[in-house]
């Protein structure tokens, strides 16, 4: 059974946000939120300074004051700059290189201990998503060692949400229930 484009987009978003802990700014909107995209691309060191304005200015070829005016809403970036910011967000979300950079940033902050992954999905021990006896939308939890967490991030970097789902299917099949399958992940979180 083929998964719809909408379901694929939901799964990509769920996997991305669950593994990185970051919301994806809407870069597809007609008038994307510049502040949200800058915060996503150039995170600051604290809540008081949520955007690294100096780094953003350097990477975008503008002054730091210009970036600060964008953030306050006193000025909008030129169309070419908006296009560049949007492109960078899209690449961070959809390319192997972008996922790799985000995974590296996230993993530097992760505790080196066992954690539990909680997955909300249409799932169960059947390859048929219409098998009502074994497959249902539910939550499942699995404890993962630091090594397994690293392998999950590596699979996500290499293959996106499909790669991460394949890795999770394999580990759930081995350690959770034989034949366990995911048929559209709707949420991922760490506990």
């Amino acid at each position: 059974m083929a998964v719809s484009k909408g379901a694929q987009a939901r799964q990509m978003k769920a996997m991305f946000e669950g593994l990185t802990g970051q919301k994806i700014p809407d870069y597809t909107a007609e008038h994307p939120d510049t502040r949200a995209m800058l915060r996503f691309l150039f995170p600051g060191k604290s809540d008081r300074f949520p955007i690294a304005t100096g780094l953003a200015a350097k990477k975008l070829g503008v002054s730091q004051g210009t970036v600060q005016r964008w953030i306050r809403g006193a000025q909008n970036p030129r169309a070419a700059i908006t296009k560049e910011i949007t492109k960078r967000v899209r690449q961070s979300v959809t390319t192997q290189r972008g996922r790799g950079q985000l995974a590296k940033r996230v993993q530097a902050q992760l505790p080196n201990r066992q954690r539990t992954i909680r997955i909300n999905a249409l799932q169960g021990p059947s390859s048929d998503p219409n098998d009502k006896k074994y497959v249902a939308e539910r939550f499942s939890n699995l404890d993962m060692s630091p090594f397994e967490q690293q392998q999950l991030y590596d699979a996500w970097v290499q293959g996106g949400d499909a790669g991460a789902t394949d890795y999770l299917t394999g580990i759930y099949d081995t350690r959770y229930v034989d034949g366990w399958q995911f048929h559209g992940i709707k949420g991922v979180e760490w506990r």
Side-chain angles (χ1 to χ4, degrees):
M1 178 176 167
V3 180
S4 72
K5 284 208 178 265
Q8 287 175 339
R10 279 190 301 278
Q11 178 166 307
M12 191 259 323
K13 183 176 190 259
M15 193 66 72
F16 181 92
E17 291 179 357
L19 294 179
T20 66
Q22 294 184 13
K23 297 277 186 213
I24 302 172
D26 185 5
Y27 59 90
T28 61
E30 185 177 340
H31 300 288
D33 182 350
T34 301
R35 180 182 166 91
M37 291 192 300
L38 289 171
R39 187 176 192 159
F40 177 80
L41 291 172
F42 308 106
K45 302 265 185 219
S46 67
D47 288 341
R48 185 169 178 214
F49 301 104
I51 300 169
T53 57
L55 178 61
K58 181 179 175 185
K59 295 286 186 177
L60 297 170
V62 297
S63 73
Q64 189 170 358
T66 299
V67 172
Q68 291 167 346
R69 284 189 294 279
W70 295 344
I71 292 167
R72 286 192 316 264
Q75 179 182 346
N76 290 323
R78 294 186 321 267
I81 299 284
T82 299
K83 186 176 179 180
E84 176 65 21
I85 294 169
T86 302
K87 180 180 103 177
R88 286 175 181 246
V89 171
R90 181 185 48 77
Q91 288 175 338
S92 292
V93 173
T94 62
T95 66
Q96 183 176 347
R97 181 176 179 206
R99 288 188 304 268
Q101 290 171 343
L102 284 167
K104 188 175 180 181
R105 189 185 320 161
V106 168
Q107 289 173 314
Q109 300 168 357
L110 291 181
N112 190 19
R113 63 174 169 77
Q114 179 172 305
R115 295 188 302 161
T116 301
I117 193 165
R118 180 176 170 91
I119 301 175
N120 175 16
L122 182 62
Q123 56 187 309
S126 174
S127 60
D128 180 7
N130 297 315
D131 184 348
K132 301 296 182 203
K133 182 175 180 183
Y134 295 107
V135 176
E137 185 173 332
R138 63 181 100 189
F139 289 92
S140 61
N141 300 308
L142 186 70
D143 294 334
M144 296 181 76
S145 70
F147 178 72
E148 291 167 332
Q149 293 171 49
Q150 176 66 47
Q151 288 183 314
L152 172 60
Y153 279 97
D154 290 346
W156 177 66
V157 168
Q158 295 297 317
D161 60 291
T165 301
D166 289 346
Y167 176 76
L168 288 168
T169 299
I171 199 167
Y172 267 72
D173 178 50
T174 304
R175 295 196 23 235
Y176 194 70
V177 173
D178 286 343
W180 198 262
Q181 298 285 318
F182 295 99
H183 305 286
I185 294 177
K186 296 180 179 180
V188 175
E189 64 181 82
W190 290 104
R191 295 181 170 218

